[in-house]
Amino acid sequence: MVRVLGSVAVHLQAPEPGPLLTRPIKDIDVVTRRGSRAAVTELLIAAGYVPDEMFNALHGARRLLFFDPTDRKLDVFIGDFSMCHVIPIADRLERDPLTIPLAELLLTKLQIVELNETDQRDIYNLAYHHDVTGGGGTGIEGDFIADICAKDWGLWRTAKATIERCQSNLAAYNLDAGASSLIKERLNVLWALIENAPKTAKWRLRNRVGDRVRWYDEPEENATAR
């Protein structure tokens, strides 16, 4: 089972005629469950993709890289999404026929420490096109995001900074008042759910340390197109 994440997933989840804010799509990100590495590798090679042998030998237990004939990169995450923080994105792949669930998709954006402009656009698009809910398995499941953050202080800390940055930068996009208001409201609802979720003992212990110790990982440099 393979599902799409990243900017392609944001685009696929937007209604016609597409996302509120356009952005270039330079590569493709997908995820599969652990134990599927060989099957996915065989499938992609049969489809004409060329594996990055060195990267895959070093990181293949959790991540694989392939390139299509035009040198467009395809990134395969195995099990978890591991960048600045570890996000479990392969546990609920049956929820959607094409992409990972919206909650996990948004988490892969909220976990970015050095948020770039294109990822910020993705967050705005998700917040604009999809309601933030407190349960029931519909829209962006804010309760799911809150539960993940309640167990991981570092992820909570980065998500807080990312949401604050998105709120403060929203005016620069000159959206109409209705769109801006909707995005801001949904980000506020999300943060309220995250902040009000009961925190674990591990979270509370890490909270005592705060920013004095780095709370995020620095992702390994991606292989570049050859």
Side-chain angles (χ1 to χ4, degrees):
M1 184 179 291
V2 175
R3 294 292 185 269
V4 181
L5 60 143
S7 58
V8 175
V10 174
H11 186 90
L12 289 172
Q13 287 288 355
E16 294 293 340
L20 173 70
L21 295 168
T22 60
R23 60 157 288 181
I25 297 177
K26 298 180 180 179
D27 51 32
I28 301 171
D29 299 320
V30 301
V31 61
T32 191
R33 290 190 170 121
R34 290 184 179 87
S36 300
R37 172 181 174 175
V40 169
T41 298
E42 182 179 350
L43 176 67
L44 290 174
I45 290 175
Y49 283 87
V50 178
D52 186 316
E53 301 286 0
M54 179 63 73
F55 185 94
N56 293 353
L58 292 172
H59 306 285
R62 56 192 177 89
R63 194 171 163 206
L64 300 167
L65 288 183
F66 295 84
F67 293 89
D68 73 8
T70 67
D71 266 345
R72 173 176 291 189
K73 180 165 66 73
L74 188 149
D75 209 328
V76 181
F77 292 91
I78 300 174
D80 294 331
F81 179 89
S82 182
M83 287 294 191
C84 298
H85 300 277
V86 178
I87 311 294
I89 60 171
D91 295 341
R92 309 194 303 161
L93 298 185
E94 69 284 348
R95 289 289 189 97
D96 190 281
L98 297 176
T99 77
I100 63 174
L102 291 168
E104 285 92 320
L105 182 56
L106 182 54
L107 268 173
T108 64
K109 302 298 179 179
L110 296 178
Q111 65 84 42
I112 300 172
V113 173
E114 296 183 4
L115 189 71
N116 62 38
E117 198 272 334
T118 52
D119 287 314
Q120 188 168 260
R121 282 174 177 257
D122 284 341
I123 292 172
Y124 292 145
N125 284 330
L126 288 170
Y128 177 75
H129 292 296
H130 308 283
D131 192 18
V132 175
T133 65
T138 60
I140 299 171
E141 299 160 276
D143 58 326
F144 179 89
I145 295 174
D147 183 63
I148 298 293
C149 290
K151 300 172 184 175
D152 184 341
W153 184 89
L155 178 59
W156 170 90
R157 175 67 178 82
T158 298
K160 180 177 188 289
T162 300
I163 291 172
E164 289 174 348
R165 187 178 300 117
C166 287
Q167 294 280 35
S168 65
N169 292 344
L170 183 57
Y173 287 82
N174 296 317
L175 300 173
D176 66 66
S180 293
S181 177
L182 183 60
I183 291 170
K184 183 169 290 189
E185 176 187 347
R186 287 176 172 171
L187 290 177
N188 284 337
V189 169
L190 176 61
W191 179 246
L193 288 167
I194 293 172
E195 190 71 339
N196 293 329
K199 307 301 189 290
T200 63
K202 181 180 178 182
W203 186 99
R204 294 194 300 270
L205 184 62
R206 180 60 182 85
N207 187 49
R208 295 178 185 176
V209 179
D211 293 0
R212 294 192 298 274
V213 176
R214 195 179 75 186
W215 62 92
Y216 57 89
D217 294 325
E218 294 181 348
E220 67 268 18
E221 188 69 22
N222 286 346
T224 57
R226 296 145 301 155

